[in-house]
């Protein structure tokens, strides 16, 4: 069985995923990393050279690739679950967990992160807030289809893990 971590960029999918994988003895997979390895190109370069729509095609393919594996924690790119086809594939292939965070906290986290994210390049905090509010409105209907929704606002990592643990016992 696989566990998919879904949610907006900056919500903590990678950090939570790595800890959860260690705890369960699962393999940790990051879908951006999978795409970068498969095409031998960074996500930033794919966006600038081939455009966002090509990246979304690669994401769709990556989900199909990952359907074949087992016992993995899969941290998905923020936009990956946001199509009917992709959320369907995710739901058919394992348990999905949405790490839910408000737009302001997401902006703070993303602007303090060194991870290059093509959608945020060159934007001020105010512009990021507008963009995140807009994107969240489009994306949440997909994120909300997750099997488990964990509200991580104001929680420390230990508390997030405890919450996930208690949901998974149910
Ligand atoms: C994206 C999120 C990124 C990455 C790409 C696009 C998005 O992943 O896939 O930059 O559209 O939200 P993270 O959510 O891991 O930052």
């Amino acid at each position: 069985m696989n566990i998919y971590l879904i949610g907006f960029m900056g919500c903590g999918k990678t950090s939570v995923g790595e800890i959860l994988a260690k705890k369960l003895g699962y393999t940790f997979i990051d879908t951006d990393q999978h795409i970068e390895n498969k095409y031998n190109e960074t996500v930033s370069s794919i966006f600038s050279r081939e455009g966002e729509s090509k990246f979304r095609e690669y994401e769709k393919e990556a989900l199909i690739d990952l359907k074949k594996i087992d016992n993995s924690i899969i941290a998905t790119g923020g936009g990956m679950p946001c199509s009917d086809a992709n959320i369907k594939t995710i739901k058919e292939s394992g348990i999905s967990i949405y790490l839910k965070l408000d737009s302001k906290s997401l902006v703070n986290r993303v602007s303090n992160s060194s991870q290059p994210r093509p959608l945020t390049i060159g934007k001020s905090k105010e512009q990021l807030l507008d963009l995140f509010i807009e994107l969240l409105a489009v994306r949440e209907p997909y994120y909300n289809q997750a099997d488990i929704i964990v509200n991580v606002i104001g929680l420390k990592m230990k508390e997030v893990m405890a919450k996930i643990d208690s949901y998974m016992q149910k």
Side-chain angles (χ1 to χ4, degrees), residues 6-14 30-33 35 43-44 47 52 55-56 59 75-82 110 113 115-120 132 135 139 143:
I6 70 174
F8 208 81
M9 51 186 125
C11 71
K13 291 164 292 189
T14 304
D30 174 281
T31 59
D32 285 340
Q33 197 68 58
I35 292 169
V43 169
S44 297
F47 262 77
E52 180 174 349
F55 176 72
R56 300 301 172 199
E59 283 193 313
T76 60
M80 186 179 238
C82 304
V110 167
S113 151
Q115 191 186 319
R117 291 184 168 101
L119 293 179
T120 66
F132 284 14
L135 281 178
R139 292 179 172 188
Y143 297 153

Side-chain angles (χ1 to χ4, degrees), residues 5 68 71 82 89 93 98 118 120 129 135 164-165 168 170:
L5 294 171
K68 298 173 198 128
N71 294 339
C82 304
T89 306
S93 328
Y98 170 29
T120 66
L129 187 59
L135 281 178
I164 291 178
D165 230 27
M168 303 224 356
K170 282 177 195 166

Side-chain angles (χ1 to χ4, degrees), residues 91-136:
K91 290 191 62 81
E92 280 169 0
S93 328
I95 295 177
S96 45
I97 303 177
Y98 170 29
L99 301 179
K100 187 180 164 87
L101 199 55
D102 63 290
S103 45
K104 266 196 189 151
S105 311
L106 290 166
V107 168
N108 288 332
R109 289 205 194 183
V110 167
S111 31
N112 289 327
S113 151
S114 58
Q115 191 186 319
R117 291 184 168 101
L119 293 179
T120 66
I121 287 172
K123 294 196 171 63
S124 66
K125 271 193 160 187
E126 290 71 27
Q127 288 169 323
L128 280 183
L129 187 59
D130 288 345
L131 174 70
F132 284 14
I133 290 170
E134 201 179 296
L135 281 178
L136 266 174

Side-chain angles (χ1 to χ4, degrees), residues 146-165:
D147 299 310
I148 298 169
I149 299 178
V150 183
N151 204 326
V152 300
I153 300 175
L155 295 188
K156 298 201 174 75
M157 182 57 78
K158 258 195 168 171
E159 296 166 322
V160 173
M161 297 313 295
K163 253 191 168 182
I164 291 178
D165 230 27

